[in-house]
Amino acid sequence: MANKAELNRRVERVGIGVSPGVVTGPVFLLTTDGDRYVERSISEAEVPREVARFEDALIATRRQLHEVQRQVGEAIGRENASIFDAHLLVVDDRSLVDEVVRGLSSYKKNVETVLHIVSERYVQALLRVEDDYLRERAADIRDVTRRIMRNLSGVSSSALATLSQPCVLVAKDLPPSEAATIDKTKVLAFATDVGSPTSHTAIMARALNIPAIVGLHDISVRVSRGDPVLIDGGKGVLIVHPSEDDLESYGKVEASRRSLQSSLDELRDEPAETLDGYHVHLSSNIELPTDVDQVVASGASGIGLYRTEYLFLSRKELPSEDEQAAVYEQVARRMAPAHVIIRTLDLGGDKFLSLVKMPQEMNPFMGWRAIRFCLAQPEIFKTQLRAVLRASHLGNLKLMYPMISSLDEVLKANLLLDECKDELRAQNIPFDEEMDVGIMIEIPSAALTAHLLAPHVDFFSLGTNDLVQYTLAVDRVNERIAYLYQPTHPAIVRLIKNAIDVGHQHGIWTGACGEMAGNPLMVPLLIGLGVDEISVSASVVPLVKRVIRRLRYSEAEQLADTVLALESAHEITEKCRELVQRLTPELLELLA
Ligand code: PEP
Ligand code: MG
């Protein structure tokens, strides 16, 4: 008979740590895929546990079917809901259920495997019969089996909102729209099979300040609901059934991280200034208006990127002009006199709207995204532009267009903005006539033609997440090629330098709001290349400030000069690391 230790085997997996912090908690599996399961051998001692899991899943399935039947009945009539009678018959079919239970002992496999074997046997038998009615029953059995599988492995994603216990969320993928609905008091951390540090889900984890690991390949089928796990979101380590030693050693890691964090918090009111007096505008990125509290607490001196698309995700209707204006006004007032850069809708890529038809594309990051979508949907775009204008005189708002690839797009967007201004003037609605308008430099063509774009805008902001993806042809959310995703590639450094230099020649400033700016290792390089603003997740503001305050501007300039002569991303990263190691060794220890 297997002993307890064998049943609760310790498993350690390493993925990509994208948001630091150590936590432990029970797994909550989030799955939308009922066809996927892992075949696992079990001992006789595990049979009762598998039977209990099966019974729980049957109860949940029955409850869901009754609920769906009720909803469908209400919506389109009781007669159309009768299909669910057939589904309920499958759940209550004792011969199928008993066969699964008996199969656990004879096959010595987990319940998912046995359920699959038994239900497929029924399906194949029904499909062989020359009777349409019975053939349809085969489809019912497959549907219900899928639903039971889903309940065995976890729950559908919509159940996120109903979490009652603190847990560690494990999922194949967690779309940004789902991540945005996470309740921090319930979700201690999350871990996903796919993803990379610059996926919007990872960015959201840092904004929420909860530990997270992505790129764990198959973790969602390796753990079961309720398994205890330990997550180190800095190192990217996930341990299922952690030992006492794990808890102790990772506890120490977390304690030193927290003590460093609180020493950094003391910098809150200090200026973001180098030792030789060079001031850097240190701002923060936000996804939701509620993030502003954290921004204020972090000591950031503005909002360098407000990703407004989150206002549009996970909802049934588009936000109206009034609703948007109220939200932008709230953020503007809260931050005034500090600036807030409102980025217009950046839908597409990995953020989709369920309401407006957004076709499924082969290459969504290179498809109908951001400004392309907005220019094709002028009503949606103009609603947002009017809302921003209406809030603009109530604080210090700036507007920014994402994903600009050519001057033509800037001119078209500005034309629509002018139309909105005319409409507001005609209605005597006040707005800031001088509101600055900038663009994101995140496509190589924009970085290379900065001299054509600069005369038409008030500022540039470097979107390094996309700039790296588009320059190096590396999908930013694909963990398989994450090793090729190199912000210090010589091509990236040159594009950044070109945009900044050209901006300065035309008298406009350049910020950096991609994740590269939030990596303390890269901060001296960006400063040396001449960025005027650094905008990062609120949780990273103190780390970045520490680096700035230990740095001399002359060292940063020297670093940039040295780096421009180097040949590989690796060499450049090492130079950046050497400098930060010298300035703040304790930070590097934390980042290692
Ligand atoms: C970027 O691309 O660097 C950026 C800041 O925008 P996003 O991450 O939202 O694409
Ligand atoms: Mg971008």
Side-chain angles (χ1 to χ4, degrees):
M1 188 184 272
N3 63 30
K4 195 160 169 264
E6 272 177 284
L7 290 181
N8 294 336
R9 253 170 304 152
R10 177 186 181 281
V11 177
E12 180 172 330
R13 289 289 173 115
V14 181
I16 307 169
V18 293
S19 183
V22 176
V23 294
T24 52
V27 164
F28 184 89
L29 263 177
L30 196 63
T31 175
T32 50
D33 185 352
D35 292 325
R36 250 163 36 113
Y37 69 91
V38 165
E39 184 174 326
R40 189 167 56 83
S41 296
I42 60 166
S43 65
E44 190 60 38
E46 284 178 279
V47 169
R49 191 178 86 171
E50 293 298 283
V51 172
R53 289 181 59 223
F54 188 42
E55 280 170 357
D56 285 350
L58 288 176
I59 292 168
T61 305
R62 202 175 288 118
R63 201 183 323 111
Q64 289 162 359
L65 285 171
H66 279 298
E67 179 56 21
V68 178
Q69 188 175 44
R70 189 190 60 75
Q71 286 175 1
V72 173
E74 271 176 20
I76 52 174
R78 177 78 188 90
E79 59 291 359
N80 292 309
S82 61
I83 176 184
F84 297 104
D85 290 337
H87 284 197
L88 282 161
L89 282 177
V90 177
V91 185
D92 291 329
D93 184 337
R94 269 331 297 180
S95 54
L96 188 144
V97 171
D98 290 346
E99 215 172 306
V100 173
V101 172
R102 280 197 304 276
L104 290 169
S105 293
S106 49
Y107 292 108
K108 294 273 179 354
K109 296 284 182 194
N110 57 336
V111 65
E112 287 89 342
T113 309
V114 178
L115 174 61
H116 177 75
I117 294 171
V118 172
S119 73
E120 272 307 295
R121 197 156 55 221
Y122 274 71
V123 166
Q124 294 309 326
L126 289 170
L127 289 177
R128 277 196 295 273
V129 180
E130 292 284 325
D131 180 317
D132 287 348
Y133 174 79
L134 289 177
R135 277 171 195 280
E136 278 178 32
R137 298 292 70 78
D140 292 339
I141 291 179
R142 282 217 168 110
D143 271 7
V144 174
T145 302
R146 219 172 278 133
R147 195 178 273 276
I148 299 172
M149 288 283 199
R150 269 204 298 270
N151 284 316
L152 277 168
S153 56
V155 287
S156 73
S157 51
S158 58
L160 241 189
T162 64
L163 287 176
S164 56
Q165 296 293 324
C167 62
V168 172
L169 203 63
V170 177
K172 179 172 187 276
D173 189 12
L174 189 63
S177 53
E178 290 284 341
T181 65
I182 279 179
D183 173 353
K184 270 176 71 171
T185 61
K186 300 284 164 34
V187 178
L188 304 169
F190 70 75
T192 59
D193 294 352
V194 302
S196 74
T198 57
S199 58
H200 283 103
T201 303
I203 293 171
M204 185 54 89
R206 288 189 285 275
L208 291 166
N209 208 5
I210 62 172
I213 307 176
V214 301
L216 283 156
H217 301 292
D218 59 356
I219 196 67
S220 68
V221 290
R222 293 285 160 201
V223 293
S224 299
R225 192 174 181 184
D227 278 350
V229 287
L230 179 151
I231 290 228
D232 180 341
K235 295 192 166 62
V237 175
L238 180 148
I239 303 173
V240 192
H241 293 292
S243 65
E244 287 299 319
D245 285 352
D246 293 325
L247 297 177
E248 196 188 322
S249 64
Y250 281 92
K252 284 184 187 153
V253 170
E254 180 61 359
S256 57
R257 188 187 75 85
R258 288 196 178 192
S259 101
L260 176 63
Q261 190 71 43
S262 53
S263 79
L264 294 180
D265 288 345
E266 287 164 15
L267 299 176
R268 187 188 176 282
D269 298 320
E270 303 295 327
E273 218 166 75
T274 61
L275 292 170
D276 45 359
Y278 179 81
H279 186 81
V280 181
H281 201 92
L282 180 54
S283 295
S284 186
N285 298 344
I286 65 166
E287 274 72 39
L288 303 168
T290 46
D291 295 341
V292 175
D293 289 340
Q294 232 192 309
V295 172
V296 172
S298 76
S301 53
I303 290 177
L305 168 64
Y306 174 8
R307 290 183 166 97
T308 55
E309 52 277 5
Y310 284 94
L311 202 58
F312 291 67
L313 302 176
S314 312
R315 50 185 293 162
K316 294 207 171 77
E317 282 163 9
L318 291 168
S320 65
E321 183 181 316
D322 284 350
E323 180 186 342
Q324 289 188 61
V327 172
Y328 304 148
E329 175 184 334
Q330 180 200 331
V331 177
R333 281 190 192 276
R334 187 78 203 285
M335 292 304 296
H339 73 217
V340 176
I341 301 183
I342 301 205
R343 179 176 76 181
T344 58
L345 266 179
D346 184 358
L347 289 168
D350 58 357
K351 287 174 285 191
F352 300 98
L353 207 57
S354 46
L355 332 140
V356 178
K357 292 243 174 301
M358 295 193 77
Q360 252 198 327
E361 298 178 311
M362 294 289 279
N363 290 304
F365 272 109
M366 294 206 282
W368 205 41
R369 186 187 164 190
I371 197 71
R372 301 168 182 188
F373 171 86
C374 285
L375 292 176
Q377 301 275 342
E379 275 320 305
I380 295 177
F381 191 37
K382 283 182 67 182
T383 302
Q384 179 172 44
L385 295 178
R386 272 193 305 266
V388 176
L389 284 167
R390 281 171 50 185
S392 61
H393 70 295
L394 302 164
N396 181 0
L397 289 190
K398 300 181 193 299
L399 187 76
M400 176 160 75
Y401 306 133
M403 213 188 170
I404 292 297
S405 64
S406 68
L407 176 58
D408 190 43
E409 287 161 336
V410 182
L411 298 179
K412 283 189 174 134
N414 276 343
L415 257 167
L416 291 171
L417 182 65
D418 286 342
E419 277 181 28
C420 293
K421 288 181 177 176
D422 286 344
E423 287 161 13
L424 293 181
R425 280 187 206 105
Q427 292 172 270
N428 282 327
I429 297 177
F431 63 91
D432 175 7
E433 295 273 357
E434 305 301 320
M435 180 178 71
D436 282 353
V437 177
I439 54 169
M440 294 203 64
I441 301 286
E442 51 185 351
I443 296 185
S445 58
L448 291 167
T449 57
H451 59 292
L452 303 177
L453 303 168
H456 302 272
V457 297
D458 299 301
F459 63 93
F460 288 155
S461 185
L462 295 158
T464 55
N465 303 336
D466 280 314
L467 188 63
V468 174
Q469 130 161 299
Y470 296 134
T471 306
L472 305 181
V474 179
D475 181 346
R476 67 190 262 191
V477 295
N478 186 337
E479 72 283 0
R480 283 195 193 85
I481 46 169
Y483 70 98
L484 288 172
Y485 189 93
Q486 300 169 325
T488 51
H489 190 291
I492 304 295
V493 177
R494 273 167 180 70
L495 288 175
I496 290 178
K497 182 167 168 45
N498 186 61
I500 294 172
D501 287 352
V502 169
H504 287 167
Q505 283 154 22
H506 285 80
I508 68 170
W509 59 271
T510 298
C513 63
E515 295 305 293
M516 183 178 180
N519 179 347
L521 286 188
M522 304 293 129
V523 168
L525 175 59
L526 289 171
I527 293 174
L529 289 170
V531 293
D532 303 282
E533 177 187 63
I534 285 187
S535 190
V536 301
S537 288
S539 59
V540 191
V541 167
L543 269 72
V544 172
K545 199 185 271 185
R546 162 65 60 92
V547 175
I548 294 172
R549 291 180 56 79
R550 295 265 175 100
L551 178 73
R552 284 185 181 282
Y553 183 61
S554 53
E555 285 172 315
E557 280 185 314
Q558 174 65 49
L559 174 72
D561 281 350
T562 309
V563 151
L564 282 164
L566 298 179
E567 294 174 357
S568 72
H570 175 71
E571 286 173 296
I572 296 176
T573 304
E574 278 317 299
K575 277 282 169 243
C576 294
R577 189 188 304 279
E578 273 169 31
L579 178 57
V580 176
Q581 167 74 34
R582 194 152 47 73
L583 301 176
T584 61
E586 72 287 3
L587 257 194
L588 268 200
E589 211 171 288
L590 185 80
L591 295 171

